Amino acid sequence: MIRVKVRLFATLRENRDKEMIIELPDGATLSDIIKHLNIPKEQATLLLINGKFAKLDEALEDNDTVSIFPPIGGG
Amino acid sequence: MGRYDRNMLCLSPEENDSLRHKTVAVVGCGGLGGHIIEMLGRLGVGKIIAVDGDVFEDTNLNRQILSNMENLGKPKALEAWKRMKLVNPDIELLPVYNKIDENNATTILQKAQVIVDALDNIGGRIILQNACEKLKIPMVHGAISGWYAQITTILPGDRSLDKIYSDVKDGEVKNLLGNPSFTPALAASIEVSEVVKLLIGRGELLRNKMLFINLLNNSFEIIEL
């Protein structure tokens, strides 16, 4: 198992914690976290691992920090 | 003339004068764009291309600085021109009363040294990024929703919006968070400071980085893209 810190931004914090530690099986990806947290895919458009841009299928390592942002598109 | 005296010390006299010879395109003359045009005009940016295909309506009055009770139903781009005539007749504002699209974008924007994203939808922003890529012109991106805002500066080749809006389907996201008065004004200010830094070639840009603002929790975070 790996332990990953997850930080949620903007509306993703509604009805969820702002920060949390999640345990996942070895080899888990960002996509697995989104499913685990029940976040609709279209609401998780910008993902970071340890502060750097990452793709949905990127694998996580123990002690990674994941940040998830929803799309902001108004003006 | 005292008009630009208070720009001094923040800008050198040479930097201040150089702004008079610059052209900046502002795409969108609504919540973000109105404030951006106001600030660029007062700074003395010589030429502003102001693009918007919409007219003012009463739902704009809560935040769009160019809107008022007397210009409802009037084109936003033309109202921007009228406003700059009042505020700073030294500068030229070229109003473009037209929505930006794949066909007209490069023609409308080609004379600009910097292009400012003040749009209200993701599809339009992708069109704008494509045009900036073709023209090799830097673009300052800003977007807001409710209490949240984001700003980044995109140089040719960066294509940062591909990361920010990856997997957004239909190029659209419904705005379910509203548009208050304070978020666009703040995002507009930061966009304008990025524009000025690009124009004078000084300072640190939000390049390959995005400032993400959450006013509800007072958090300002710079993330790497």
Side-chain angles (χ1 to χ4, degrees), chain B residues 55-80:
Chain B
V55 298
F56 282 118
E57 49 184 69
D58 58 1
T59 57
N60 302 148
L61 289 168
N62 79 321
R63 68 194 186 285
Q64 301 193 10
I65 194 80
L66 293 170
S67 68
N68 60 61
M69 290 302 289
E70 286 171 12
N71 66 14
L72 299 180
K74 304 260 176 70
K76 296 180 180 183
L78 297 178
E79 291 305 305

Side-chain angles (χ1 to χ4, degrees), chain A residues 7 13 45 52 72-75, chain B residues 32 125 144 165-166 217 221:
Chain A
R7 302 178 66 212
R13 292 178 179 183
T45 45
K52 296 213 165 178
I72 300 289
Chain B
L32 291 167
R125 290 186 161 99
I144 66 115
Y165 296 126
S166 61
N217 299 144
E221 288 205 34

Side-chain angles (χ1 to χ4, degrees), chain B residues 16-17 22 43 52 55 72 96 119 124 131 138 179 202 225:
Chain B
N16 187 67
D17 289 344
K22 304 292 186 187
L43 272 167
D52 202 305
V55 298
L72 299 180
V96 180
L119 287 163
N179 294 322
R202 184 160 66 89
L225 293 173

Side-chain angles (χ1 to χ4, degrees), chain A residues 1-18:
Chain A
M1 297 292 277
I2 54 168
R3 281 163 64 87
V4 175
K5 182 175 168 185
V6 180
R7 302 178 66 212
L8 300 178
F9 287 81
T11 45
L12 300 179
R13 292 178 179 183
E14 284 170 15
N15 305 318
R16 293 184 193 92
D17 289 333
K18 190 165 115 177

Side-chain angles (χ1 to χ4, degrees), chain B:
Chain B
M1 186 175 173
R3 171 180 288 280
Y4 303 117
D5 279 5
R6 296 299 185 274
N7 285 356
M8 296 305 166
L9 301 180
C10 170
L11 298 176
S12 71
E14 294 75 23
E15 286 169 344
N16 187 67
D17 289 344
S18 75
L19 295 182
R20 230 71 63 235
H21 308 288
K22 304 292 186 187
T23 300
V24 174
V26 182
V27 186
C29 301
L32 291 167
H35 287 289
I36 290 166
I37 290 164
E38 182 84 11
M39 286 185 259
L40 293 175
R42 287 184 188 271
L43 272 167
V45 170
K47 203 177 276 189
I48 300 169
I49 302 166
V51 189
D52 202 305
D54 285 341
V55 298
F56 282 118
E57 49 184 69
D58 58 1
T59 57
N60 302 148
L61 289 168
N62 79 321
R63 68 194 186 285
Q64 301 193 10
I65 194 80
L66 293 170
S67 68
N68 60 61
M69 290 302 289
E70 286 171 12
N71 66 14
L72 299 180
K74 304 260 176 70
K76 296 180 180 183
L78 297 178
E79 291 305 305
W81 176 79
K82 282 188 200 162
R83 175 71 186 164
M84 281 305 106
K85 282 273 168 243
L86 284 174
V87 169
N88 189 356
D90 283 0
I91 65 137
E92 188 184 352
L93 186 138
L94 301 168
V96 180
Y97 176 34
N98 203 350
K99 192 179 168 191
I100 207 102
D101 62 31
E102 288 98 341
N103 300 318
N104 65 19
T106 51
T107 312
I108 291 170
L109 303 170
Q110 62 186 340
K111 296 266 168 65
Q113 273 98 46
V114 179
I115 292 166
V116 192
D117 164 12
L119 287 163
D120 62 358
N121 67 90
I122 295 169
R125 290 186 161 99
I126 301 298
I127 291 171
L128 199 59
Q129 179 179 258
N130 289 341
C132 292
E133 278 287 307
K134 266 188 212 154
L135 294 166
K136 302 205 184 312
I137 299 173
M139 162 178 173
V140 177
H141 159 74
I144 66 115
S145 194
W147 297 83
Y148 314 109
Q150 62 189 34
I151 301 99
T152 185
T153 292
I154 305 169
L155 299 195
D158 292 345
R159 297 202 65 96
S160 303
L161 294 189
D162 296 355
K163 294 180 178 175
I164 294 169
Y165 296 126
S166 61
D167 290 326
V168 175
K169 297 285 177 289
D170 311 316
E172 289 292 343
V173 169
K174 278 195 187 134
N175 181 6
L176 302 173
L177 304 175
N179 294 322
S181 60
F182 45 86
T183 320
L186 172 64
S189 292
I190 298 167
E191 287 192 84
V192 171
S193 85
E194 289 293 289
V195 172
V196 173
K197 287 182 280 182
L198 281 163
L199 292 177
I200 66 173
R202 184 160 66 89
E204 200 175 307
L205 294 169
L206 283 166
R207 184 187 178 195
N208 293 321
K209 291 172 192 168
M210 186 173 80
L211 174 61
F212 191 87
I213 301 170
N214 174 344
L215 291 170
L216 203 53
N217 299 144
N218 288 316
S219 93
F220 288 65
E221 288 205 34
I222 293 175
I223 59 170
E224 284 184 51
L225 293 173

